[in-house]
Structures are given as C-alpha cells and as structure tokens.
Amino acid sequence: MIVLITCKRVLINIVNMYCYNIAMIKNRLSIILGEQRMRVSELSRLTGISQNALINIYHNRTKGIDFETLNKICNALQRNTQELFEFTPD
C-alpha cells in the first residue's frame, strides 16, 4: 500500500512538472526583474503580493494570474502585459 501511494505521488509530481514546462504562454518576470536589478522581495514590497505567490509566478509554476495581481505587477515594473508574457506556439 505504501509503495502504491509513493508511486502515485511521484507520478503526480512528474505530470505536474511536465504540464508546467510545456506552457504556451510563459511570463518573463524573471527576465524583467533581472533587467531592472530588482529582487522578488522588493517587488513584493511594492505590490503587496506575497513573496511565495511572486516566486511561483517567477518560476512559471502557476496555471494563471489574477487580473488584480497582473495589474499590480505591471504598475510596479512600469511594463505592459505584452512585455510581461511570451507566446510560444506548439
């Protein structure tokens, strides 16, 4: 029973990693923060968004971004949504 549960968890983790890495739309938050020499902690302070949420966005580990969150990030970085996202076709 323990082996089956462990195998199921490993399989779920592999599927999640695969799904996150094949996203057709990726955010460029890590690139933009690097260009502006800004840390996630500074962006968190400017936007009021938690560091954990921003780290998940930074590493493209989210399935979507709330419009309010997106608006706060764009305002703090003085960028538009077109600069924040990159589309890669299949």
Side-chain angles (χ1 to χ4, degrees):
M1 184 71 170
I2 294 173
V3 173
L4 288 176
I5 292 171
T6 303
C7 289
K8 184 178 177 183
R9 286 183 186 155
V10 170
L11 182 59
I12 289 170
N13 287 337
I14 290 170
V15 169
N16 285 339
M17 286 173 38
Y18 179 74
C19 289
Y20 288 133
N21 289 331
I22 63 165
M24 290 177 30
I25 298 175
K26 293 186 178 181
N27 74 69
R28 299 181 66 247
L29 182 60
S30 62
I31 295 166
I32 293 170
L33 288 180
E35 290 171 355
Q36 294 191 208
R37 304 234 188 265
M38 182 184 291
R39 294 177 177 259
V40 171
S41 58
E42 175 68 11
L43 184 59
S44 176
R45 188 185 64 75
L46 291 172
T47 60
I49 301 169
S50 74
Q51 285 190 35
N52 286 340
L54 289 172
I55 287 169
N56 286 331
I57 295 168
Y58 181 95
H59 290 290
N60 280 298
R61 291 188 289 213
T62 59
K63 293 182 180 181
I65 300 176
D66 183 73
F67 285 131
E68 183 179 347
T69 301
L70 181 58
N71 189 48
K72 289 177 181 180
I73 292 171
C74 288
N75 283 331
L77 297 174
Q78 297 180 346
R79 302 285 182 116
N80 63 43
T81 54
Q82 291 175 330
E83 295 172 292
L84 190 59
F85 294 100
E86 175 182 304
F87 173 75
T88 52
D90 288 345

